[in-house]
Amino acid sequence: MNDAKNIIDKLSCPLPDNNYDNITMAHGGGGKMMNNLIDKLFLHYLSNNLNDEKHDGAVFISEGHKFAFTTDSYVVNPVFFPGGDIGRLAVYGTVNDLAMCGAKPAYLSLGLIIEEGFSIKDLEKIIISIKEASDRTGVKIITGDTKVVEKGKGDGIFINTAGIGIVRDDINISPSRVEEGDLILINGDVGRHGIAIMTTRENLDIESTIKSDCAPLNIVVQQLIESGIEIHCLRDLTRGGLGSALNEIASSAKFEIEIDEKSINVTEEVKGVCEILGFDPVHVANEGRFIAFVKKKDAGKAFDILKQEESGKYASILGVVKGKNKYGLVILKSIMGVNRILDMMSGEQLPRIC
Amino acid sequence: MNDAKNIIDKLSCPLPDNNYDNITMAHGGGGKMMNNLIDKLFLHYLSNNLNDEKHDGAVFISEGHKFAFTTDSYVVNPVFFPGGDIGRLAVYGTVNDLAMCGAKPAYLSLGLIIEEGFSIKDLEKIIISIKEASDRTGVKIITGDTKVVEKGKGDGIFINTAGIGIVRDDINISPSRVEEGDLILINGDVGRHGIAIMTTRENLDIESTIKSDCAPLNIVVQQLIESGIEIHCLRDLTRGGLGSALNEIASSAKFEIEIDEKSINVTEEVKGVCEILGFDPVHVANEGRFIAFVKKKDAGKAFDILKQEESGKYASILGVVKGKNKYGLVILKSIMGVNRILDMMSGEQLPRIC
């Protein structure tokens, strides 16, 4: 086994003021430090041919059929927020990860870690919300587990869901399929979930309430698939926002991606709060947004489908995949006409967002 | 939605000094209160034909094949204990739940909720332990998730694993298959895991260290299946111990079960600690023990297989399934010749055992 010094070296990343002996909040922020932890510790020991692509879920073949498998723990604070709650998030989040693999979500597991003293009335609200979300998305919760931890050793409730989806034999959606010339689409405006959580948590006195964009994506993805569009890669935007999602795919696929800043839609309300707080909307979390890498010839058809969705008026074609690049670069063409590298977030912007 | 009063009524159980507005530690203890919470809240809203048997996992048919799906969160305190650690437990525990469905464990997901400040060196030890346990049991960890919560909002590390296993078409292992005359076998002595955790956590000054029985059960279950034994039901003994497992099956299957107390093996060391602490070994947690309900004609063959295992010298035939009983009763024939009802634990004996 490596000693502490080696581990520290392995996990080092360009944040000079962190203590790398111990886990920091930034290790869970969806940015560089989390990706370092995954690559240099988890995948160092646990990598296999099914998990090393770092997709939203793993696709495996069993008994001659293709399935997708994924998991997420939800630790969002507060558990109830404008536009959703931890229960809805726990169903939609995992359903969305399955959808991003091109799978039709079928079954979920439900693991609860509840802090002693948590209100049973609130627990019932969350369970009802889970039921509604599973009915809406057509998944069945078929197995579960409950643990209770002492007061002060948890934070209300944490939920884990794992999901199994069924993938059509001819579907292969993953970063490795990204090609030069692919167009990149998004299904709506960015940053609403993160700002909804932030304003609720901090009791910011903002007149109109910004609602989370928390929504299921499986139906729109099924429409894209069934329309025969050649989809190369899908990724939902959660922690780390659009910036992290683009960088993850660029780095997995080893391509340069060019994004047109003016095609990134942000509502005036979200923009206003971001300006006050010094956030870049491109790194703010979402829970109902995804990007699709599709063959150029199919981009118009895909755009038409996205336009019909609830968030469709903000759907757009974000940019294009340029040539190969061994680091996987994301270039942002700014409104001022200046190009800059859009990096993955280094540390973390806002903890406990999902 | 029900109001608080209704919820309180629904969850009421014979523990007069609890406050039923809020979750108590006993709701996670594996006994009556947890079963009440599952039946009257979770299954009330979420029941379907795949989860209402309250088996260790759910068996579903997809694309013409049978699969098992299960989940468990692990919150054991301390995370390192004699005979194991939270990582090993998180793999073996979920593998064992799959084995109890008669499934061959294939894939695991890994969800980590880490408290800020947790040692990266300890995290590496746990990941290595997960790797070793997955190699030993032949499962692959193919998808994962990492969340970090602020210091004071978690307790070191919580781990969730969900597992997928493959079930042979002709295998149907579940409480509904229990029959009058079935013999009940156990694969070893009881109570070691709970006592190992207890003595470590409380720093009890006991000379010889009692090691957890934490072990994978998939190989022995495969041997039982492959030998052609008619297995009706399997259940691993975790929270709530042998007493809860027997009661859960008796109550699901609606049978009276008769157990011979002298066939329950407890080592002298475990017995000694239990006497000091006032614990009944029959309710103490285990992590490598299971009971098997088999057709009487096959009990001898099953016993021979269990005898060859590491814990085999303590394997025994515990008792027999008597006639139908609508409450599902477990009768313990004591060494003194007196019969008593072995009830499910009411509250909880020892929190955070797994």
Side-chain angles (χ1 to χ4, degrees):
Chain A
M1 197 183 300
N2 296 296
D3 59 30
K5 176 73 181 65
N6 284 345
I7 303 169
I8 296 165
D9 288 347
K10 281 197 303 185
L11 298 172
S12 66
C13 90
L15 278 181
D17 53 352
N18 268 286
N19 171 2
Y20 299 120
D21 277 339
N22 298 317
I23 290 291
T24 65
M25 291 305 292
H27 284 115
K32 273 188 191 172
M33 284 187 69
M34 197 177 87
N35 274 277
N36 257 320
L37 190 69
I38 292 171
D39 288 337
K40 299 191 177 161
L41 183 53
F42 304 151
L43 288 179
H44 174 72
Y45 289 107
L46 302 174
S47 88
N48 53 52
N49 59 329
L50 292 171
N51 66 21
D52 61 2
E53 222 182 340
K54 294 201 289 169
H55 199 17
D56 277 335
V59 173
F60 65 89
I61 295 173
S62 186
E63 310 293 304
H65 296 277
K66 256 192 207 175
F67 298 91
F69 188 32
T70 188
T71 190
D72 255 331
S73 299
Y74 300 85
V75 299
V76 62
N77 168 23
V79 293
F80 300 101
F81 50 83
D85 61 67
I86 192 170
R88 194 184 295 184
L89 212 57
V91 175
Y92 291 167
T94 296
V95 159
N96 290 350
D97 281 345
L98 290 172
M100 296 303 115
C101 302
K104 198 170 166 188
Y107 300 111
L108 291 192
S109 65
L110 178 66
L112 306 176
I113 300 176
I114 313 174
E115 186 189 7
E116 181 185 18
F118 190 68
S119 148
I120 289 179
K121 198 168 165 54
D122 283 346
L123 181 60
E124 186 179 41
K125 274 193 216 165
I126 291 166
I127 297 295
I128 290 171
S129 177
I130 288 173
K131 183 192 161 38
E132 288 167 354
S134 59
D135 286 348
R136 183 171 170 195
T137 50
V139 289
K140 277 187 174 175
I141 289 157
I142 61 170
T143 188
D145 175 60
T146 308
K147 292 291 188 305
V148 179
V149 296
E150 300 89 343
K151 197 152 184 67
K153 301 293 184 183
D155 195 16
I157 186 166
F158 301 144
I159 300 182
N160 176 284
T161 49
I164 299 174
I166 296 157
V167 187
R168 251 173 44 186
D169 279 359
D170 58 334
I171 297 296
N172 180 7
I173 292 172
S174 96
S176 64
R177 290 209 54 219
V178 169
E179 283 175 9
E180 190 171 334
D182 280 355
L183 292 188
I184 305 155
L185 293 91
I186 187 166
N187 70 324
D189 59 309
V190 300
R192 275 208 270 131
H193 178 70
I195 297 303
I197 296 290
M198 185 65 180
T199 52
T200 314
R201 193 190 301 170
E202 307 300 333
N203 281 317
L204 293 184
D205 196 14
I206 292 162
E207 262 184 52
S208 63
T209 308
I210 296 168
K211 277 193 183 170
S212 166
D213 57 289
C214 178
L217 300 171
N218 56 320
I219 292 159
V220 61
V221 169
Q222 280 303 310
Q223 286 171 345
L224 290 171
I225 288 174
E226 279 160 22
S227 72
I229 287 167
E230 192 177 325
I231 307 167
H232 289 158
C233 190
L234 299 170
R235 177 77 37 122
D236 61 338
L237 314 181
T238 57
R239 281 178 288 179
L242 176 62
S244 281
L246 287 167
N247 270 285
E248 281 166 18
I249 294 175
S251 129
S252 282
K254 303 208 185 314
F255 271 104
E256 183 179 319
I257 290 174
E258 193 181 270
I259 300 295
D260 192 358
E261 192 173 17
K262 69 175 184 298
S263 65
I264 303 171
N265 287 313
V266 187
T267 64
E268 286 306 317
E269 280 175 313
V270 168
K271 213 177 276 174
V273 179
C274 280
E275 270 166 19
I276 294 166
L277 300 174
F279 285 173
D280 186 343
V282 94
H283 287 305
V284 176
N286 311 268
E287 282 293 337
R289 298 293 173 260
F290 73 107
I291 48 174
F293 288 65
V294 304
K295 194 90 179 166
K296 190 177 175 183
K297 68 172 173 59
D298 291 334
K301 200 167 163 187
F303 184 64
D304 289 343
I305 291 172
L306 296 184
K307 272 286 173 202
Q308 291 159 26
E309 290 296 300
E310 208 179 305
S311 61
K313 73 169 173 172
Y314 294 117
S316 67
I317 296 178
L318 285 176
V320 63
V321 177
K322 312 287 277 190
K324 274 279 178 190
N325 180 299
K326 69 175 173 174
Y327 302 107
L329 224 50
V330 182
I331 304 293
L332 197 68
K333 282 170 54 187
S334 79
I335 295 163
M336 316 294 281
V338 185
N339 286 1
R340 64 176 175 98
I341 293 176
L342 174 63
D343 206 357
M344 194 174 272
M345 213 167 42
S346 280
E348 58 136 22
Q349 197 175 54
L350 186 60
R352 312 275 302 277
I353 203 77
C354 59
Chain B
M1 197 183 300
N2 296 295
D3 59 29
K5 175 72 181 64
N6 284 345
I7 301 168
I8 294 165
D9 289 346
K10 282 195 305 187
L11 297 174
S12 67
C13 90
L15 277 182
D17 53 353
N18 268 287
N19 171 2
Y20 299 121
D21 278 340
N22 298 315
I23 290 291
T24 65
M25 291 305 291
H27 284 114
K32 273 187 188 169
M33 286 187 68
M34 198 177 87
N35 274 276
N36 257 320
L37 190 70
I38 292 171
D39 287 337
K40 298 188 175 163
L41 183 53
F42 304 151
L43 288 179
H44 175 72
Y45 289 108
L46 302 174
S47 90
N48 54 51
N49 60 329
L50 292 171
N51 65 22
D52 60 3
E53 221 182 343
K54 295 201 290 169
H55 199 19
D56 277 335
V59 173
F60 66 90
I61 294 174
S62 187
E63 311 293 304
H65 296 277
K66 256 192 206 174
F67 298 92
F69 187 32
T70 190
T71 189
D72 256 331
S73 299
Y74 299 86
V75 299
V76 63
N77 169 24
V79 294
F80 300 101
F81 50 82
D85 61 69
I86 193 170
R88 193 184 297 183
L89 212 57
V91 175
Y92 291 166
T94 296
V95 159
N96 291 351
D97 282 345
L98 290 172
M100 295 304 115
C101 302
K104 201 173 165 185
Y107 301 111
L108 291 191
S109 66
L110 177 66
L112 306 176
I113 300 176
I114 313 173
E115 186 188 9
E116 181 185 18
F118 190 69
S119 147
I120 290 179
K121 195 168 167 57
D122 282 346
L123 182 60
E124 186 179 41
K125 274 192 215 167
I126 291 165
I127 296 295
I128 290 171
S129 178
I130 288 172
K131 183 191 161 37
E132 288 168 352
S134 59
D135 286 348
R136 183 172 169 195
T137 51
V139 290
K140 277 187 175 177
I141 290 157
I142 61 171
T143 188
D145 175 59
T146 307
K147 293 290 187 305
V148 179
V149 295
E150 301 89 342
K151 196 152 185 68
K153 301 292 184 185
D155 194 15
I157 186 166
F158 301 144
I159 300 183
N160 176 284
T161 49
I164 300 174
I166 296 156
V167 186
R168 249 171 47 184
D169 280 358
D170 58 335
I171 298 296
N172 180 9
I173 291 172
S174 96
S176 65
R177 290 210 55 220
V178 169
E179 284 176 8
E180 190 172 334
D182 281 356
L183 292 188
I184 305 156
L185 292 92
I186 187 165
N187 71 324
D189 59 310
V190 300
R192 274 206 271 132
H193 178 70
I195 298 302
I197 296 291
M198 185 64 179
T199 51
T200 314
R201 194 191 300 170
E202 307 301 333
N203 280 317
L204 294 184
D205 195 14
I206 292 163
E207 261 185 50
S208 64
T209 309
I210 296 168
K211 276 193 183 169
S212 165
D213 57 289
C214 177
L217 299 171
N218 57 322
I219 292 160
V220 61
V221 168
Q222 281 304 310
Q223 285 172 343
L224 290 172
I225 289 174
E226 281 161 22
S227 72
I229 287 167
E230 192 176 324
I231 305 168
H232 289 158
C233 189
L234 299 170
R235 178 76 40 121
D236 62 337
L237 314 180
T238 57
R239 282 180 288 180
L242 176 63
S244 282
L246 287 168
N247 270 284
E248 281 166 20
I249 294 176
S251 130
S252 282
K254 303 208 186 312
F255 272 104
E256 182 181 319
I257 289 174
E258 193 181 272
I259 299 294
D260 193 358
E261 192 174 16
K262 69 175 185 296
S263 65
I264 303 172
N265 289 313
V266 187
T267 64
E268 286 305 318
E269 280 175 314
V270 168
K271 212 177 279 176
V273 179
C274 280
E275 271 166 19
I276 294 166
L277 300 173
F279 286 173
D280 186 344
V282 93
H283 287 306
V284 176
N286 311 267
E287 282 293 338
R289 297 292 173 262
F290 74 108
I291 49 175
F293 288 64
V294 304
K295 194 91 178 166
K296 190 177 174 184
K297 68 171 173 60
D298 290 335
K301 201 167 164 186
F303 184 63
D304 289 344
I305 291 172
L306 297 185
K307 272 287 172 199
Q308 290 159 26
E309 291 297 299
E310 209 179 305
S311 61
K313 72 170 173 169
Y314 293 116
S316 66
I317 296 180
L318 284 176
V320 62
V321 177
K322 311 289 276 191
K324 273 278 177 190
N325 180 299
K326 68 175 173 178
Y327 303 107
L329 224 51
V330 182
I331 304 292
L332 197 67
K333 283 169 55 188
S334 79
I335 294 164
M336 317 292 282
V338 184
N339 285 1
R340 64 176 175 98
I341 293 176
L342 175 63
D343 205 358
M344 195 174 270
M345 213 165 44
S346 280
E348 58 136 21
Q349 198 176 55
L350 186 61
R352 312 275 302 278
I353 202 78
C354 60

